[in-house]
């Protein structure tokens, strides 16, 4: 598909790596294309970054038909920029689209516009250690009527944001609050889709946890409120008595690409790994018996986040003396090594971007 380019007449100044943070700065351009039932995807364009014009009846604003993705471009030591498993993001976006009755984007088209846009904007990929260019593709229903139905119009956008190192003073264990009241998702709902609505419903518990001094919420299943699901924007893994255990994908959990990569790495290296249901009681028992050896979250933003403390119904549980464990550190080093190109990519996960 032809991509029409309109250059930004007022290019911005690239921020210093020390001020980057997450999602605060945006690059000079964004990618957009539109969908209609009659024309399919059309009008692919790279335009100056700026506000969107929306009809006040736009479907996304009233009925929440919005999905998104998150991936990063990494600058290698040789100066080249590369993506990590982007096809997985495209496939997940299309699964999310199906769940929310939004149009899918053919894989080849999605990969073409993504790689061309990142190639166009690649100078914005910072090179300081731990920094990257965060890529946020998103799609929303864009009918200009208040009727409730699967949309006939949608808009797909990609914005990019240079982001800082997640761990400025070394990789630090986080404290997590297990949420006993609100639930995030149930089987048959939208928990396995990456959609904005899931986050809107999560914020109340997140605020509560933050006020109590915890950085994120660990969700329990929505039916029995007994089984571990995932952390705010990360999947979760535990090492119990030598085995790595992570909740199985039963329909209410986001199928993370970092999760998938951890499992593939661990299995290839001969670790004992299981995807299954894991109850809060089993976890508490393992802790009391000294068998809960490590816990960590995994997601694109932080890659691997060691968990040093869990709090459930006011009771605090310290894990591994609040220190980073051996498998946690190994996963962090392996994944970041492949992503930034300091370790060989024997899995074929990286995709270099053309200059
Ligand atoms: C995006 C996300 C994750 C992590 O997925 P990655 O593909 O590893 O970045 C986990 N949980 C939720 C709710 C998410 O939105």
């Amino acid at each position: 598909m032809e991509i029409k380019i309109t250059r930004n007449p007022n290019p911005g100044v690239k921020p210093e790596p020390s001020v980057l943070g997450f999602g605060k700065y945006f690059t000079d351009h964004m990618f957009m294309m539109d969908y209609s039932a009659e024309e399919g995807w059309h009008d692919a364009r790279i335009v100056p970054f700026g506000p969107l014009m929306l009809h006040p009846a736009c479907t996304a604003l009233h009925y929440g038909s919005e999905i998104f993705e998150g991936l990063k471009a990494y600058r290698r030591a040789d100066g080249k920029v590369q993506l990590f498993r982007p096809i997985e993001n495209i496939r997940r976006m299309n699964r999310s689209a199906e769940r929310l009755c939004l149009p899918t984007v053919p894989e080849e088209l999605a990969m073409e516009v993504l790689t061309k846009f990142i190639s166009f904007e690649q100078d914005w990929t910072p090179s300081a250690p731990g920094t990257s260019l965060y890529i946020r593709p998103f799609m929303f229903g864009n009918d200009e009527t208040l009727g409730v139905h699967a949309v006939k119009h949608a808009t797909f956008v990609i914005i990019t944001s240079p982001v800082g190192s997640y761990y400025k003073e070394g990789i630090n264990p986080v404290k997590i609050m297990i949420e006993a009241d609100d639930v995030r998702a149930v089987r048959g709902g939208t928990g396995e889709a990456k959609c904005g609505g899931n986050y809107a419903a999560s914020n109340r518990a997140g605020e509560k946890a933050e006020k109590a001094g915890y950085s994120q919420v660990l969700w329990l299943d929505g039916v029995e409120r007994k089984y571990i699901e995932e952390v705010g924007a990360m999947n979760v893994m535990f090492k119990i008595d030598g085995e790595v255990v992570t909740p199985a994908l039963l329909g209410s959990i986001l199928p993370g690409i970092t999760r998938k990569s951890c499992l593939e790495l661990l299995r290839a290296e001969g670790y004992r790994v299981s995807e299954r249901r894991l109850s809060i009681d089993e976890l508490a028992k393992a802790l009391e018996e000294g068998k809960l050896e490590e816990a960590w979250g995994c997601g694109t933003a932080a890659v691997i986040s060691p968990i040093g403390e869990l709090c459930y119904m006011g009771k605090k549980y310290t894990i591994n003396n609040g220190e980073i464990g051996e498998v946690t550190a190994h996963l962090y080093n392996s994944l970041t090594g492949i992503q930034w190109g300091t370790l060989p990519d024997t899995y074929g996960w990286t995709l270099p971007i053309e200059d």
Side-chain angles (χ1 to χ4, degrees):
M1 188 183 288
E2 198 209 331
I3 302 176
K4 189 172 168 241
I5 296 173
T6 310
R7 282 183 189 275
N8 191 329
N10 303 304
V13 176
K14 297 184 177 72
E16 287 300 314
S18 60
V19 303
L20 286 174
F22 182 77
K24 295 194 293 179
Y25 299 93
F26 295 94
T27 65
D28 285 335
H29 300 91
M30 58 188 181
F31 172 83
M32 294 183 74
M33 68 181 173
D34 298 309
Y35 173 90
S36 70
E38 309 82 55
E39 291 178 87
W41 288 107
H42 61 278
D43 205 7
R45 58 205 187 271
I46 291 173
V47 294
F49 183 88
L52 303 177
M53 284 274 280
L54 297 177
H55 190 282
C58 168
T59 325
L61 297 178
H62 298 267
Y63 307 125
S65 58
E66 190 268 354
I67 57 173
F68 66 95
E69 272 303 324
L71 68 162
K72 286 173 170 177
Y74 306 85
R75 192 173 291 284
R76 305 190 313 214
D78 65 3
K80 253 210 160 341
V81 166
Q82 65 185 18
L83 304 180
F84 182 74
R85 311 190 82 175
I87 190 69
E88 297 288 339
N89 293 89
I90 300 302
R91 289 180 180 145
R92 183 171 65 191
M93 181 178 80
N94 281 334
R95 293 198 303 271
S96 301
E98 268 168 12
R99 179 64 186 84
L100 273 84
C101 287
L102 284 164
T104 56
V105 185
E107 278 178 23
E108 257 176 55
L109 172 62
M111 284 299 289
E112 181 193 339
V113 301
L114 172 69
T115 51
K116 283 193 172 152
F117 178 58
I118 299 309
S119 176
F120 186 82
E121 212 65 334
Q122 63 178 299
D123 283 355
W124 281 88
T125 312
S127 57
T131 63
S132 56
L133 184 68
Y134 184 77
I135 307 167
R136 168 56 60 87
F138 62 104
M139 188 201 296
F140 55 94
N142 204 359
D143 282 353
E144 301 183 343
T145 112
L146 293 175
V148 179
H149 46 68
V151 297
K152 295 194 172 66
H153 299 85
T155 300
F156 174 72
V157 189
I158 307 174
I159 55 175
T160 39
S161 167
V163 297
S165 172
Y166 206 85
Y167 299 106
K168 284 206 186 66
E169 291 116 25
I171 165 167
N172 270 324
V174 293
K175 290 161 68 180
I176 303 277
M177 166 98 89
I178 300 178
E179 173 60 35
D181 297 319
D182 288 358
V183 298
R184 178 186 168 274
V186 290
R187 252 202 246 192
T190 57
E192 63 183 353
K194 208 166 173 76
C195 63
N198 290 340
Y199 278 77
S202 302
N203 280 338
R204 185 169 69 176
E207 289 286 297
K208 193 169 75 180
E210 213 169 286
K211 278 203 189 105
Y214 290 82
S215 61
Q216 286 198 50
V217 167
L218 175 60
W219 297 102
L220 299 178
D221 77 280
V223 178
E224 294 174 72
R225 303 195 189 188
K226 190 173 144 185
Y227 297 100
I228 304 289
E229 296 237 303
E230 62 177 310
V231 181
M234 298 188 288
N235 294 110
V236 67
M237 299 188 171
F238 301 91
K239 182 160 163 266
I240 303 173
D241 203 13
E243 183 185 46
V244 174
V245 182
T246 194
L249 301 176
L250 298 173
S252 53
I253 299 175
L254 202 284
I257 295 157
T258 319
R259 174 189 183 278
K260 181 175 180 165
S261 305
C262 287
L263 295 177
E264 289 175 19
L265 265 170
L266 291 171
R267 286 192 173 121
E269 293 175 355
Y271 284 86
R272 276 198 296 135
V273 176
S274 91
E275 295 171 77
R276 59 175 174 84
R277 294 193 107 182
L278 172 63
S279 71
I280 184 84
D281 294 340
E282 180 185 344
L283 206 60
K285 188 161 171 279
L287 250 161
E288 272 148 31
E289 294 173 351
K291 289 180 179 163
L292 179 54
E293 294 151 353
E294 299 180 42
W296 64 90
C298 49
T300 297
V303 191
I304 300 291
S305 226
I307 299 172
E309 183 189 312
L310 287 172
C311 177
Y312 179 56
M313 305 257 213
K315 204 170 162 195
K316 293 177 179 177
Y317 301 90
T318 302
I319 301 166
N320 194 34
N321 294 319
E323 286 161 21
I324 177 166
E326 207 179 303
V327 177
T328 312
H330 173 61
L331 283 172
Y332 180 79
N333 293 332
S334 305
L335 286 175
T336 55
I338 294 172
Q339 288 165 340
W340 273 277
T342 56
L343 287 178
D345 172 17
T346 51
Y347 298 90
W349 285 343
T350 55
L351 178 69
I353 291 293
E354 279 170 35
D355 295 331

